[in-house]
Amino acid sequence: MNKTTMKVLISLTMTVAMAFIMLFPSNETTASANSSKYDSIYNVANSKLGTRYVYGSTGPSSFDCSGFVRYIFKHGANKHLPRTAQSQYNTTKKISKKQLKKGDLVFIGASTKSIYHVGMYIGNGEMIDAQNRGVVKESIHAPWWHVVGYTRAI
């Protein structure tokens, strides 16, 4: 094989390798990007702790639960979610409790067809959500909650 052919083959191989890396990033790269998005969303959510609850409100000075989740994802990750908790559940990727990670959504209701509350999981069995006490951090295992599902929005 002459030098020109060898250079072309090496160049072609490098181009294919780079395209493959761009199309299929490693889990580390994806995990890092998701962690960064979570941090951004969490920072927006955390900045709203104590903000008052108003049914139907979408922020920034008051929220209901789905308005809060919609706001923090829009401002923290430029991710647009539907307006209601039920619609947010219906349009995001369903996951199991075992797959639950920081940044995932926790849905409360009578069933998956009757969801009335949503919060964002922040780790250690806790979520941040907007409810009658305003925006708070609390256990997802509180006796007044009936968790019916989990989803991943990012």
Side-chain angles (χ1 to χ4, degrees):
M1 215 181 279
N2 65 34
K3 285 184 180 182
T4 305
T5 305
M6 186 62 109
K7 285 180 183 180
V8 169
L9 283 175
I10 291 171
S11 178
L12 183 59
T13 303
M14 293 302 291
T15 302
V16 169
M18 291 303 291
F20 186 80
I21 290 168
M22 297 295 279
L23 287 173
F24 304 101
S26 73
N27 287 341
E28 264 181 43
T29 302
T30 304
S32 176
N34 286 345
S35 176
S36 176
K37 281 185 181 179
Y38 166 75
D39 290 343
S40 181
I41 295 165
Y42 177 78
N43 289 337
V44 172
N46 205 43
S47 76
K48 295 299 180 181
L49 280 173
T51 302
R52 69 189 180 101
Y53 176 88
V54 174
Y55 180 78
S57 185
T58 59
S61 58
S62 63
F63 297 98
D64 71 4
C65 65
S66 58
F68 175 69
V69 167
R70 186 177 197 217
Y71 180 91
I72 64 175
F73 274 78
K74 179 181 178 187
H75 293 278
N78 199 30
K79 172 74 174 180
H80 296 276
L81 295 176
R83 174 63 189 95
T84 67
Q86 185 70 58
S87 294
Q88 289 171 358
Y89 177 80
N90 292 343
T91 59
T92 51
K93 181 184 177 192
K94 310 314 175 267
I95 59 169
S96 69
K97 182 178 181 180
K98 196 172 165 180
Q99 295 171 303
L100 190 62
K101 299 188 315 188
K102 293 177 180 181
D104 290 338
L105 300 179
V106 179
F107 292 90
I108 313 295
S111 71
T112 58
K113 302 283 186 206
S114 181
I115 291 171
Y116 56 80
H117 190 73
V118 61
M120 183 183 75
Y121 188 68
I122 58 173
N124 298 319
E126 292 189 322
M127 67 177 168
I128 187 166
D129 63 321
Q131 43 129 308
N132 61 351
R133 295 180 290 139
V135 176
V136 296
K137 293 178 184 177
E138 66 178 332
S139 174
I140 64 173
H141 305 295
W144 50 86
W145 294 137
H146 179 247
V147 176
V148 296
Y150 308 95
T151 71
R152 184 157 298 144
I154 55 171

